[in-house]
Amino acid sequence: MTLSPARVPATGVRRLTTTLYGYAFLDDFVLLYPVYALLFADTGLSLWQISSLFALWSVTGVLLEVPSGAWADAVSRRRLLWIGPLLTAAGFALWVAVPSYGAFAAGFVLWGAGGALGSGALEALVYDELDHLGAAGRYARVMGRARAARLTGTVASLGLAGPVFAQGGYAAVGAASIMACGLTALTATRFPEHRTRPETSGDRWAATLRTGLAQVRGDRAVRGALLLVPAVAAVWGALDEYTPLLVRDTGVAEATVPYLVMLIWAGVTAGSLLAGPAERLGTAGFAALLAGGALALAVGAASRSLAGIALVGLAFAAFQLAEVLADVRLQHRIDESRRATLTSVASLGTELATVATFGVYAQLGTRLAHGTVFAVLAVPYLVTALALLRTRAARARP
């Protein structure tokens, strides 16, 4: 039987998306997530030492984010996607085999490097493969579902970490995490990759980085799309770390806090799944999405009530949706040869803005309640929404 031409792209898209969703789930299915801070403390590390490890992790990602993206434009992106999880697995193995400050530091460097290799490379590979199949218009829906798969992996790891830890301690959750990394790497080898990489010296990663940054400087549309990503992703990504404290301030019992945090993340997952239909939003609709999320965040957080927590979940859903759509806008405006590079530049901006948000939260949180700080940090989203409307109005003028 001969396949019709229309069925061949459908088969290719199915292979790509199935691999992507499995990769995304496994990449965040790490049972060490909820207990690694406990491992550090039980090993005898001080709070200062633990904080320095987190800082080292962030710095590693910041330093490697853009170079790794440029590298992904010069070599096989699929190769980087399977190397990254193996580096992470090596880091986890160090943690459970020789628990000590030095091993934890080396593990975070490996984990940061592994994450940097995949950042930019994954989005670029998926977009270019969809484009190769004539299905670039599906990118928003596909990446929204991939984000939902990641969140599902995180929730599943949180649910399983307790029973596995109770049975086998840190060694068991470490072994499960290493196994998940191995499966992630194995899944990455199934990604299709049809991109043709010219074999000229101009494709060295340094040259790729220079030409990518030149495109940002010379193209206002690319620059605006690139800046929109951190403007949308950074603040709510930082606030996520403080949601348990916000929930506890409502007066609920400590045992209830995890369930309400899961309610918030249910909203985030829903936001991811709406990316396909929401891609039709124009600039005004995108601005309205941000403004509505900002108002829901401010009102919900300031109310210090269970209904307010639901509003925070609604706000996070809006911001997650906006983050996926901002990535879609960026991917539509950059070309194949520099796609991973500029996606990584956007991720670097997000990392830096997130760190700045942590600093602002620390300053405000010493004087204000958590709900008040959340409400104050909703303001940047209103500013971004207004900036988008002004840009739209400026372009509409003759």
Side-chain angles (χ1 to χ4, degrees), residues 353-386:
T354 300
V355 171
T357 304
F358 284 141
V360 171
Y361 198 105
Q363 290 294 321
L364 295 177
T366 59
R367 302 185 302 274
L368 303 173
H370 292 290
T372 305
V373 179
F374 268 67
V376 169
L377 289 175
V379 173
Y381 287 108
L382 291 175
V383 173
T384 301
L386 290 174

Side-chain angles (χ1 to χ4, degrees), residues 255-333:
T256 307
V257 171
Y259 298 106
L260 292 177
V261 171
M262 288 185 68
L263 171 65
I264 293 174
W265 279 100
V268 174
T269 304
S272 297
L273 295 174
L274 291 172
E279 189 179 9
R280 294 189 292 269
L281 288 176
T283 300
F286 193 96
L289 178 66
L290 290 179
L295 292 175
L297 177 64
V299 172
S303 71
R304 301 183 191 180
S305 65
L306 295 181
I309 295 302
L311 279 177
V312 172
L314 180 63
F316 277 19
F319 298 147
Q320 169 70 4
L321 174 57
E323 184 177 339
V324 176
L325 296 179
D327 173 56
V328 172
R329 288 179 173 226
L330 177 62
Q331 300 303 330
H332 284 332
R333 286 167 173 77

Side-chain angles (χ1 to χ4, degrees), residues 194-293:
H194 294 91
R195 183 174 62 112
T196 301
R197 296 182 301 281
E199 298 297 332
T200 65
S201 60
D203 278 306
R204 294 173 183 169
W205 75 264
T208 305
L209 176 58
R210 285 195 299 270
T211 55
L213 295 178
Q215 184 181 8
V216 174
R217 290 192 299 268
D219 190 325
R220 180 179 297 178
V222 172
R223 186 164 61 250
L226 190 147
L227 293 173
L228 184 61
V229 173
V232 170
V235 174
W236 87 270
L239 290 179
D240 161 54
E241 303 295 335
Y242 301 97
T243 50
L245 301 175
L246 177 71
V247 170
R248 188 172 63 182
D249 275 2
T250 63
V252 299
E254 294 281 344
T256 307
V257 171
Y259 298 106
L260 292 177
V261 171
M262 288 185 68
L263 171 65
I264 293 174
W265 279 100
V268 174
T269 304
S272 297
L273 295 174
L274 291 172
E279 189 179 9
R280 294 189 292 269
L281 288 176
T283 300
F286 193 96
L289 178 66
L290 290 179

Side-chain angles (χ1 to χ4, degrees), residues 7 60 65 78 131 246 326 332:
R7 291 178 110 188
T60 301
E65 183 70 52
R78 178 174 56 198
D131 192 38
L246 177 71
H332 284 332

Side-chain angles (χ1 to χ4, degrees), residues 122-198:
L122 180 64
E123 293 87 348
L125 183 147
V126 172
Y127 188 94
D128 285 341
E129 288 303 311
L130 287 173
D131 192 38
H132 171 77
L133 295 165
R138 302 188 191 184
Y139 179 79
R141 180 167 65 251
V142 168
M143 291 308 292
R145 291 175 177 175
R147 298 283 183 103
R150 281 192 180 277
L151 294 169
T152 303
T154 300
V155 172
S157 67
L158 293 174
L160 287 175
V164 173
F165 182 78
Q167 290 295 319
Y170 295 117
V173 293
S177 300
I178 293 168
M179 185 180 301
C181 290
L183 291 173
T184 306
L186 183 62
T187 302
T189 64
R190 288 185 45 79
F191 275 117
E193 187 173 25
H194 294 91
R195 183 174 62 112
T196 301
R197 296 182 301 281

